[in-house]
């Protein structure tokens, strides 16, 4: 067992403790960035001047009228930027644009003594525009060949030869929507400049180091003149990985020019209309199966809706391609990727970072094709699982595939799936207008940043003379419990009680050059760094203790605030006493820790390598009930078994699994982003701008029975204390909800019905899927009636209502069977 993953006796990690700030959260005492405004004197407030066009050239900008508004102090424009007028890492996001690229794009910013003064000042700014044609949908971008960034290809084997030997070849397409982050705390920054010209920015950011870099870039100063702190975030989900940088730069620029603190907080409408979302995707696919339903080949083209600039679209697309296999062995693969440029917000990171989009494609394929192959969907999935020795299309060996089988079998047995399927069959036979279904789906998700360089972290640990411990690491807390885990890691490594350890806010002047808290790697990376720092201190203290205990330093153990010899016999030294002795012996009581993930390599130009430290596995089974008149549905029961290795903090991990599942179900069934696609003056405007029009999961969507278990005996070698990441993988467990809805809709048709189900699968979308199934039922009955009457439909009987163009159909295709299955976006 590696030193990184080995756990000592009586570790604090693995204990079920609440979130470190839970009491502060529920009592309202937890401070967020905007709460600091009331503690800061002479704050100015920022408000944007937003463009009403999806694409237009700014031909004139008149700011003088704003200064006539009482309380307006300054209008920020491109002329005020001392550095580079750009807020993106790809240098394609002008902070003050001369061409607006989406409805709501900020042209300039007004600073006022009050928020109302800034708002009125922004309304007084006069802007002339020259509108241009805009591309709003991904299909429009494909037709116009409007693409941006790299166009990667993932390829293994001979796809055409594999199709030639396949018993069945099916093809189709799917388009599915993105998702609004809708974190409780909207974007916020508070910047001030001290007497030496140093910029201090408080920001709700997942990536303080990059926020620091962009501020310095815009102001034309070195990074050591900028400090960024993230106290905590009220949710992030990836939406605060890149998007906060430009907003913090605006606040810092305003503070630099006025000499006063500047607060920039987006209200909900501004946040939704100005910031990026999960990428929507369009996919065309062709898939081959052998006689037993085993996957033989996949040929697909994935087009991500990137919005107006690249942001993180390239790595999002790369991860989508790397996850199109999900948990399934596909011998021959060819997947092409491209990024559409549309005149909408610049789409960005969102929990899963492209992985859910890629996995949705293969899950949709299997869900669509199972009835056409005459195989139960669960059996089709199980039959195609990876086995030991197989590798992904990009060349990484799949380790521990047996864990997925164990999780699957645990859900089947623990959830009593066989008994419940029999009950569902009986229920459906007795109910013509209500149907139930039960679906089970797997998850295999790679953990690490695709870009190898990002897989590093730092930490700073102080032990004070009284024995108390302060830790600072490069990760940020957004409610996911990272700080809780880091406290447990530190207490375990030092061998002290948890209450002796405190954690300081994340700051770039404490731990520099950090990676974003993203890619589910926060605990892996920062936990490794914290552990490294604590080990340095512990080894120094072991030298001190060894002299008193009369043993070799390697035989000193630390447990619950006591230093003793291995075995526990003999003299003991209290932690506080040992620390005091170390101080008087002039032993260093602080350490900077560092961690880099080993064993990673990735060639993005060839889409080959081993980009992930390990794979996280999970299985979910969901039972739903669907109303045939309205398409409305209820989630009756969910059973989950998820692999988190040896959990660092079980309560936190279970909460992450539950939250991730619900957020995934929201993306797949409820959250329907809609932009105006008309040719009128509102073209490109986001129509779903608030919680009144954008439906989020609530208690009413929670399953009536919700069982979550952690996979047992799942120690992960080479990871901090044997644990695994938990942030993103559970979101994909929600595929089981969508597949259960598909099966319930198909139950309104004849056996073997394959239905198109849009994503999100709103009640409206489910209703149309039901109608498609019913149409197939009617067509089959009419055919039977005509046959029994000795007629042909064309000559002697009225034709039944035909299924829509999107309904699945079988047709001969040479010696193969091809199904022209398509899945629209339900628009």
């Amino acid at each position: 067992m590696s030193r990184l993953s080995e756990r000592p006796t009586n570790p604090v990690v693995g204990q079920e403790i609440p979130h470190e700030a839970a009491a502060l959260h529920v009592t309202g005492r937890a401070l967020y960035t905007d709460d600091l405004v009331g503690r800061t004197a002479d704050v100015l407030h920022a408000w944007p001047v937003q463009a009403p066009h999806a694409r237009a050239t700014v031909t004139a900008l008149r700011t003088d009228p704003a200064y006539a508004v009482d309380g307006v102090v300054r209008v920020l424009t491109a002329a005020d930027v001392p550095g580079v007028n750009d807020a993106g890492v790809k240098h394609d996001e002008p902070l003050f644009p001369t061409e607006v690229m989406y409805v709501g794009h900020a042209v300039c910013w007004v600073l006022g003594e009050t928020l109302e003064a800034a708002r009125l000042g922004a309304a007084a700014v006069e802007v002339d525009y020259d509108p241009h044609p805009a591309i709003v949908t991904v299909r429009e971008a494909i037709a116009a060949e409007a693409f941006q960034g790299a166009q990667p290809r993932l390829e293994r084997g001979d796809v055409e030869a594999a199709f030639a030997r396949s018993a069945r070849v099916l093809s189709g397409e799917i388009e599915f929507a993105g998702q609004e982050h809708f974190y409780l705390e909207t974007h916020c920054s508070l910047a001030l400049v001290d007497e030496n010209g140093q910029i201090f920015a408080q920001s709700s950011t997942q990536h303080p180091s990059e926020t620091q870099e962009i501020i310095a870039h815009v102001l034309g100063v070195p990074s050591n003149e900028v400090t960024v702190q993230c106290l905590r975030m009220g949710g992030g989900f990836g939406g605060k990985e890149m998007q906060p940088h430009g907003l913090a730069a605006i606040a810092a620029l305003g503070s630099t020019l006025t000499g006063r603190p500047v607060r920039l907080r987006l209200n909900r409408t501004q946040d939704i209309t100005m910031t990026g979302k999960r990428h929507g995707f369009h996919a065309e696919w062709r898939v081959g199966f052998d006689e037993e339903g085993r996957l033989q080949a996949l040929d697909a083209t994935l087009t991500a809706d990137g919005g107006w600039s690249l942001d993180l679209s390239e790595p999002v697309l790369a991860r989508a391609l790397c996850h199109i296999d999900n948990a399934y062995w596909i011998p021959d693969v060819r997947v092409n990727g491209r990024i559409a440029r549309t005149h909408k917000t610049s789409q960005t990171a969102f929990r899963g970072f492209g992985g859910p989009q890629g996995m949705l494609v293969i899950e949709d394929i299997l869900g669509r094709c199972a009835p056409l192959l005459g195989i139960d969907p669960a059996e089709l999935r199980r039959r195609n699982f990876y086995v030991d020795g197989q590798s992904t299309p990009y060349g990484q060996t799949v380790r521990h595939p047996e864990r997925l089988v164990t999780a699957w079998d645990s859900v089947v047995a623990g959830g009593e799936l066989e008994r419940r399927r029999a009950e569902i069959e009986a229920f459906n036979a007795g109910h013509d207008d209500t149907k139930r279904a039960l679906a089970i789906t797997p998850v295999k998700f790679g953990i690490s940043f695709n870009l190898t360089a990002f897989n590093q972290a730092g930490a700073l640990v102080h032990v004070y003379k009284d024995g108390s411990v302060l830790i600072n690491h490069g990760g940020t807390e957004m409610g996911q419990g990272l700080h809780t885990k880091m406290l447990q890691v530190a207490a375990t490594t030092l061998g002290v009680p948890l209450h002796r350890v405190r954690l300081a806010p994340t700051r770039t002047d404490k731990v520099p050059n950090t990676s974003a808290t993203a890619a589910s790697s926060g605990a892996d990376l920062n936990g490794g760094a914290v552990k490294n720092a604590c080990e340095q201190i512990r080894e120094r203290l072991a030298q001190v203790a060894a002299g008193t205990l009369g043993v070799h330093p390697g035989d000193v153990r630390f447990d619950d605030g006591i230093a003793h010899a291995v075995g526990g016999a003999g003299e003991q030294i209290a932690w506080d006493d040992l620390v005091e002795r170390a101080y008087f012996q002039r032993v260093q009581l602080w350490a900077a820790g560092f961690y880099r993930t080993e064993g990673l390599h990735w060639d993005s130009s060839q889409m080959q390598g081993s980009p992930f430290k390990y794979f996280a596995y999970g299985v979910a089974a969901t039972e739903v009930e669907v109303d045939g008149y309205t398409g409305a549905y209820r989630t009756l029961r969910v059973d989950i078994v998820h692999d988190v290795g040896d959990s660092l903090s079980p309560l936190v991990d279970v909460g992450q699994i539950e939250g991730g599942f619900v957020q995934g179900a929201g993306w797949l069934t409820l959250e329907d982003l809609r932009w105006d696609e008309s040719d009128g003056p509102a073209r490109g405007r986001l129509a779903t701008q608030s919680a009144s029009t954008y439906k989020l999961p609530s208690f009413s969507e929670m399953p009536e029975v919700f069982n979550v278990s952690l996979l047992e005996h799942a120690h992960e070698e080479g990871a901090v204390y044997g644990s695994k990441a938990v942030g993103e993988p559970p979101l994909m467990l929600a595929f089981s909800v969508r597949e259960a809805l598909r099966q319930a809709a198909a139950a309104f048709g004849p056996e073997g019905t394959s239905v198109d189900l849009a994503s999100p699968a709103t009640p409206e979308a489910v209703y149309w899927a039901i109608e498609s199934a019913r149409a197939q039922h009617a067509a089959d009955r009419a055919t039977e009636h005509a046959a029994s009457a000795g007629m042909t439909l064309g000559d002697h009987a009225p034709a039944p209502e035909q299924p829509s163009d999107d309904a699945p159909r079988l047709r001969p295709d040479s010696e193969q069977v091809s199904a022209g299955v398509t899945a629209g976006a339900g628009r």
Side-chain angles (χ1 to χ4, degrees):
M1 185 177 293
S2 69
R3 183 175 176 179
L4 181 63
S5 61
E6 183 179 3
R7 294 191 176 190
T9 304
N10 302 320
V12 179
V13 293
Q15 294 182 15
E16 294 188 351
I17 64 172
H19 190 286
E20 49 90 22
L24 299 180
H25 291 160
V26 299
T27 58
R29 292 185 291 120
L31 292 179
Y32 296 86
T33 300
D34 202 44
D35 294 321
L36 304 176
V37 174
R39 302 179 174 211
T40 308
D42 300 323
V43 174
L44 296 176
H45 303 263
W47 193 277
V49 176
Q50 294 182 264
H53 305 288
R55 184 184 174 204
T57 300
V58 178
T59 58
L61 178 62
R62 294 178 290 276
T63 61
D64 287 346
Y67 287 102
V69 176
D70 186 40
V72 169
V73 174
R74 185 84 185 227
V75 180
L76 304 180
T77 68
D80 295 313
V81 177
V84 180
N85 180 29
D86 195 276
V89 296
K90 292 290 184 178
H91 308 294
D92 61 348
E93 298 182 37
L95 195 60
F96 299 97
T98 56
E99 181 180 5
V100 297
M101 301 294 280
Y102 63 95
V103 175
H105 203 163
V107 176
C108 63
W109 291 78
V110 177
L111 306 181
E113 296 285 356
T114 65
L115 190 63
E116 180 66 4
R119 185 187 70 81
L120 294 175
V125 172
E126 298 174 357
V127 188
D128 294 339
Y129 299 96
D130 179 17
H132 306 302
I135 294 173
V136 176
T137 71
V138 68
R139 290 180 183 269
E140 292 172 355
I142 293 172
E145 297 186 350
F147 303 115
Q148 57 183 328
Q151 296 192 17
R153 169 180 283 195
L154 176 63
E155 192 165 15
R156 176 175 65 187
D158 188 336
V159 171
E160 296 306 327
F163 281 128
R165 68 173 179 265
S166 296
R168 291 204 173 175
V169 175
L170 301 101
S171 61
E173 64 176 327
I174 177 174
E175 183 178 354
F176 47 91
Q179 186 179 18
E180 165 61 33
H181 300 87
F182 222 103
Y183 22 67
L184 291 179
E185 176 205 27
T186 57
H187 279 277
C188 185
S189 294
L190 175 63
L192 56 88
V193 179
D194 68 14
E195 71 279 7
N196 294 315
Q198 299 280 319
I199 299 101
F200 180 55
Q202 302 266 11
S203 178
S204 182
T205 175
Q206 293 176 234
H207 199 173
S209 289
E210 199 163 75
T211 302
Q212 173 194 33
E213 181 181 336
I214 295 299
I215 292 174
H217 181 68
V218 170
L219 297 183
V221 299
S223 291
N224 67 352
E225 294 187 19
V226 179
T227 298
V228 174
Q229 174 172 292
C230 178
L231 191 59
R232 60 168 56 87
M233 285 169 280
F237 312 119
K240 295 177 181 177
E241 182 174 347
M242 291 284 290
Q243 306 282 301
H245 308 335
L247 302 173
I250 291 291
L253 175 62
S255 183
T256 301
L257 293 174
T258 64
R260 295 172 60 180
V262 172
R263 169 234 196 186
L264 190 161
R265 184 185 69 83
L266 302 182
N267 63 31
R268 181 62 64 184
T269 301
Q270 290 168 340
D271 198 285
I272 292 179
T273 57
M274 295 176 67
T275 65
K277 297 138 192 8
R278 184 188 295 279
H279 291 69
F281 268 66
H282 174 275
E284 295 180 305
W285 53 265
R286 188 165 49 122
V287 65
F289 295 90
D290 67 9
E291 295 87 348
E292 296 179 345
R294 289 188 170 84
L295 288 159
Q296 299 298 300
L298 174 65
D299 184 15
T301 297
L302 274 58
T303 305
D305 185 350
W308 74 278
S309 69
L310 275 175
D311 194 271
L312 290 168
S313 295
E314 289 176 314
V316 165
L317 178 63
R319 185 169 279 260
L321 267 59
C322 288
H323 283 79
I324 197 168
D325 59 328
N326 191 10
Y328 312 112
W329 163 249
I330 312 173
D332 296 275
V333 177
R334 180 174 62 215
V335 187
N336 294 299
R338 55 194 182 179
I339 302 164
R341 186 192 300 275
T342 57
H343 296 104
K344 296 187 287 194
T345 53
S346 185
Q347 315 315 0
T348 190
F350 199 127
R351 198 176 195 171
F353 200 81
Q357 292 95 316
M359 294 160 70
L360 178 56
V361 174
I362 191 64
E363 291 300 335
D364 189 73
I365 289 172
L366 296 179
R368 299 294 309 255
C369 294
L372 304 176
L373 298 173
I375 302 174
D376 178 77
E379 173 57 27
L380 181 63
R381 290 183 166 89
R382 176 65 182 81
R383 195 173 294 181
N384 282 286
F385 279 179
Y386 277 106
V387 298
D388 196 42
Q390 292 177 338
S391 61
T392 64
Y394 47 90
Q396 179 161 355
T397 300
V398 178
R399 294 173 53 247
H400 303 308
E402 71 282 355
R403 292 186 182 180
L404 187 61
V405 176
T406 301
W408 182 278
D409 292 344
S410 297
V411 170
V412 170
E416 302 179 285
L417 265 59
E418 294 306 315
R419 174 187 63 78
R420 289 163 57 202
R421 280 175 176 145
E423 293 174 354
I424 288 169
E425 185 175 355
F427 177 89
N428 289 349
H431 295 79
D432 291 336
D433 301 312
T434 305
K435 302 294 182 183
R436 292 179 178 175
L438 173 61
I440 180 171
T441 57
V443 167
K444 174 187 71 65
F445 190 81
I447 302 299
S448 289
F449 289 97
N450 269 70
L451 182 62
T452 304
F454 287 167
N455 295 287
Q456 60 175 297
L460 183 63
V461 177
H462 295 165
V463 176
Y464 294 96
K465 287 189 294 182
D466 64 355
S468 61
V469 181
L470 177 69
I471 64 174
N472 191 294
H473 63 89
T476 54
E477 175 64 44
M478 60 198 89
Q480 84 279 35
L482 176 61
H483 284 354
T484 306
K485 291 184 175 182
M486 295 306 95
L487 290 169
Q488 290 180 270
V489 167
T492 297
T493 310
L494 292 173
V496 300
L498 186 63
H499 69 84
R500 299 308 308 276
V501 186
R502 189 176 73 83
L503 194 142
T506 308
R507 284 173 62 119
T508 57
D509 61 354
K510 296 297 186 293
V511 180
N513 309 321
T514 58
S515 297
T517 305
S520 300
S521 61
D524 284 359
L525 296 179
N526 295 287
V530 169
K531 187 171 186 288
N532 175 252
C534 291
E535 285 172 343
Q536 295 177 47
I537 298 171
R538 188 188 66 200
E539 288 170 6
R540 295 172 197 149
L541 291 174
Q543 294 278 353
V544 177
T548 301
L549 298 175
V551 298
H552 188 276
D555 292 332
V556 176
R557 298 291 183 268
F558 296 86
D559 183 17
D560 198 28
I562 299 294
H564 57 83
V566 63
E571 187 178 353
Q572 297 181 340
I573 308 174
W575 170 263
D576 293 358
D577 293 339
L578 179 60
V579 169
E580 185 178 33
R581 293 183 191 184
Y583 171 75
F584 281 105
Q585 293 180 29
R586 295 183 295 177
V587 173
Q588 182 179 334
L589 292 173
W590 57 270
F594 182 75
Y595 174 78
R596 62 188 294 272
T597 308
E598 302 288 346
L600 306 180
H601 62 94
W602 178 244
D603 184 344
S604 59
S605 64
Q606 299 297 316
M607 293 292 289
Q608 288 293 309
S610 294
F612 306 122
K613 178 66 175 177
Y614 54 80
F615 295 103
Y617 301 105
V619 175
T622 298
E623 182 179 352
V624 299
E625 180 179 286
V626 173
D627 176 57
Y629 291 110
T630 64
Y633 46 82
R634 292 189 299 142
T635 303
L636 301 179
R637 177 172 172 174
V638 173
D639 293 271
I640 292 172
V641 173
H642 196 74
D643 171 21
V644 298
D646 285 342
S647 175
L648 292 177
S649 194
L651 281 181
V652 168
D653 285 346
V654 169
Q656 284 291 288
I657 293 166
E658 293 172 342
F661 176 88
V662 172
Q663 190 170 52
W667 170 49
L668 294 168
T669 66
L670 294 171
E671 301 179 44
D672 196 2
L673 287 169
R674 300 223 177 183
W675 276 270
D676 190 323
E677 299 174 13
S678 71
D679 293 327
R683 177 173 172 79
R685 176 183 176 273
L686 181 62
T688 49
Q689 295 188 11
S690 68
S692 63
T693 52
Y694 186 78
K695 184 168 175 55
L696 297 161
S698 62
F699 284 116
S700 61
E701 279 76 41
M702 290 289 287
E704 297 174 12
V705 178
F706 199 177
N707 300 317
V708 176
S709 300
L710 303 181
L711 183 67
E712 297 179 348
H713 312 298
H715 179 89
E716 183 60 32
E717 181 66 20
V720 61
Y721 288 127
S723 64
K724 276 188 174 183
V726 73
E728 293 171 303
L731 184 134
M732 283 72 83
L733 295 168
F735 290 141
S736 59
V737 181
R738 184 171 185 268
E739 291 306 307
L741 291 173
R742 182 201 306 280
Q743 294 175 32
F748 287 89
E751 185 175 352
T753 295
S754 175
V755 297
D756 168 24
L757 183 60
S759 188
T762 62
E764 177 188 3
V766 172
Y767 173 78
W768 290 115
I770 292 170
E771 287 297 286
S772 174
R774 285 170 170 159
Q776 293 180 57
H777 214 317
D780 286 356
R781 287 179 177 175
T783 301
E784 293 172 2
H785 175 74
S788 64
M791 299 184 295
T792 63
L793 284 175
D795 297 333
H796 305 290
E801 180 181 354
Q802 293 297 309
S804 69
D805 290 339
D806 284 344
R809 295 192 178 121
L810 292 175
R811 68 173 189 275
D813 183 21
S814 182
E815 296 181 354
Q816 302 168 337
V817 177
S818 173
V821 266
T822 62
R827 300 290 188 262

